[in-house]
Amino acid sequence: MSFNPEVNSKQQYNFNKLQKRLRRNVGEAIADFSMIEEGDRIMVCLSGGKDSYTLLEILRSLQKSAPINFSLIAVNLDQKQPGFPGHILPEYLESLGVEYKIVEEDTYSIVKEKVPEGKTTCSLCSRLRRGILYRTASELGCTKIALGHHRDDILQTLFLNMFYGGKMKGMPPKLMSDDGKHIVIRPLAYCREKDIIRFSEAKQFPIIPCNLCGSQPNLQRQVIGDMLRDWDKRYPGRIETMFSAMQNIVPSHMADTQLFDFHAVTHGAPVVDGGDLAFDREDIPVTPLGWQAEDESHQPHTLNRLDIVELN
């Protein structure tokens, strides 16, 4: 096969642009939510999946140019799943020269024992894993715990809570842990899954599949994820707009009496957030808010733009 330097040059250009976008997204999230401070020791939870590999890689890249000093330690929880290739992560991390720790806990047997066959294992598995990681962070003297959840994960959680839990609740980019002792951060909060997939493929990370829960069919999160991916394909910009909405909440125009004092809305009270615009048709921009082009030649299809009447 003949060598085509123009093709390789274009691939390198696209990869550099992709990596720059991910770095910018992570940097903005870190700044917006004050995720990392001077002297932080950050435990990067490495599962062997595309998201956590990307998280570690981008944090390592930012570490070299950041105006503050912070250290990283990669931590993997070996849950003793049958056939788990325990050599892959140590070999990969040693090749990078990254400090790491492999924690061995047989949560697989516990989950299989407690959860009936055919039932979703994610909930129990997640609780067990979370407790072990909190304990490990304390043992390692870490000040922050970094998880690899991205923008699409956050939106999926929002819809899961809306559809099944009756709550407008997402997955915060920064929070206090269950035990009140640790700060958990999600530096990929502004990153698109499609970008992470492309970056992971380009970097050829040694992906380790999760055989415990990742292969379970018809999970609610998978159903929501498929719905969002379909929307993203059919209506470019819809995902970005929905995420922007999570950052632009107007409590006075929702229905939560804990967030807004509706009893104070009486004759003579001031107009709040524009008052009632329910009978006005709002102007919807042709290019959805927050939309990011894949490249300079890709523009959103104006016929598929986000519109109030198109939601389904």
Side-chain angles (χ1 to χ4, degrees):
M1 185 172 69
S2 61
F3 174 72
N4 188 338
E6 291 186 2
V7 171
N8 286 347
S9 176
K10 183 177 181 180
Q11 289 175 340
Q12 185 62 49
Y13 170 77
N14 288 333
F15 173 76
N16 290 341
K17 188 166 66 171
L18 172 63
Q19 182 171 243
K20 183 178 180 181
R21 179 161 64 240
L22 287 170
R23 278 175 51 98
R24 183 177 67 250
N25 290 157
V26 172
E28 289 175 352
I30 290 173
D32 287 350
F33 298 96
S34 299
M35 292 186 182
I36 299 178
E37 302 168 283
E38 177 69 33
D40 268 343
R41 178 167 168 78
I42 301 172
M43 186 176 93
V44 182
C45 297
L46 197 64
S47 66
K50 60 178 173 51
D51 303 331
S52 58
Y53 275 127
T54 298
L55 172 64
L56 178 63
E57 183 68 19
I58 298 300
L59 286 180
R60 289 179 65 241
S61 176
L62 290 174
Q63 189 181 31
K64 299 173 183 177
S65 58
I68 59 175
N69 296 309
F70 62 91
S71 61
L72 303 171
I73 177 169
V75 172
N76 170 255
L77 173 57
D78 181 351
Q79 299 176 270
K80 296 304 176 183
Q81 298 177 33
F84 180 78
H87 64 285
I88 291 182
L89 283 173
E91 290 177 359
Y92 173 75
L93 294 168
E94 286 171 9
S95 71
L96 296 179
V98 173
E99 182 183 1
Y100 73 92
K101 180 178 179 62
I102 306 297
V103 181
E104 298 184 1
E105 294 278 355
D106 189 3
T107 62
Y108 178 85
S109 296
I110 297 174
V111 170
K112 285 300 184 182
E113 176 186 347
K114 300 293 184 182
V115 180
E117 189 67 30
K119 296 293 184 179
T120 302
T121 61
C122 298
S123 180
L124 176 58
C125 180
S126 179
R127 288 198 302 272
L128 292 172
R129 187 170 63 246
R130 188 162 59 240
I132 294 168
L133 291 174
Y134 289 168
R135 184 196 69 206
T136 301
S138 296
E139 293 172 351
L140 296 174
C142 295
T143 55
K144 302 283 174 59
I145 299 174
L147 303 179
H149 299 116
H150 46 70
R151 185 202 64 183
D152 298 59
D153 289 325
I154 293 173
L155 278 172
Q156 286 176 21
T157 302
L158 172 68
F159 278 92
L160 277 169
N161 280 311
M162 287 175 60
F163 291 173
Y164 301 104
K167 293 181 179 180
M168 290 285 287
K169 178 183 177 183
M171 181 185 284
K174 179 182 179 183
L175 74 154
M176 184 65 70
S177 63
D178 300 359
D179 58 9
K181 298 178 181 178
H182 306 282
I183 294 177
V184 179
I185 59 175
R186 295 183 169 99
L188 299 181
Y190 290 169
C191 297
R192 307 184 298 188
E193 184 176 30
K194 65 177 72 175
D195 286 342
I196 292 172
I197 291 173
R198 291 172 56 206
F199 185 75
S200 177
E201 291 173 347
K203 296 290 291 185
Q204 296 184 322
F205 293 133
I207 303 298
I208 303 174
C210 175
N211 296 321
L212 182 61
C213 61
S215 59
Q216 289 183 293
N218 301 320
L219 297 179
Q220 292 171 331
R221 182 172 289 275
Q222 182 63 44
V223 172
I224 296 295
D226 290 343
M227 180 191 75
L228 293 178
R229 281 185 286 273
D230 177 60
W231 281 359
D232 189 40
K233 181 179 180 180
R234 294 166 57 199
Y235 308 107
R238 175 173 288 187
I239 302 299
E240 284 81 0
T241 304
M242 288 192 298
F243 189 78
S244 294
M246 293 186 69
Q247 299 174 288
N248 293 281
I249 298 171
V250 184
S252 63
H253 285 53
M254 300 297 283
D256 190 332
T257 58
Q258 300 298 312
L259 291 180
F260 184 76
D261 185 6
F262 290 95
H263 296 291
V265 180
T266 59
H267 287 289
V271 175
V272 179
D273 291 313
D276 187 4
L277 303 177
F279 297 103
D280 298 343
R281 180 175 175 82
E282 297 185 44
D283 292 329
I284 306 299
V286 173
T287 302
L289 296 175
W291 183 80
Q292 300 178 50
E294 299 293 326
D295 53 55
E296 286 82 355
S297 62
H298 183 186
Q299 294 298 325
H301 197 301
T302 57
L303 293 180
N304 283 348
R305 69 181 187 144
L306 177 66
D307 202 333
I308 296 174
V309 297
E310 292 178 342
L311 291 174
N312 54 46

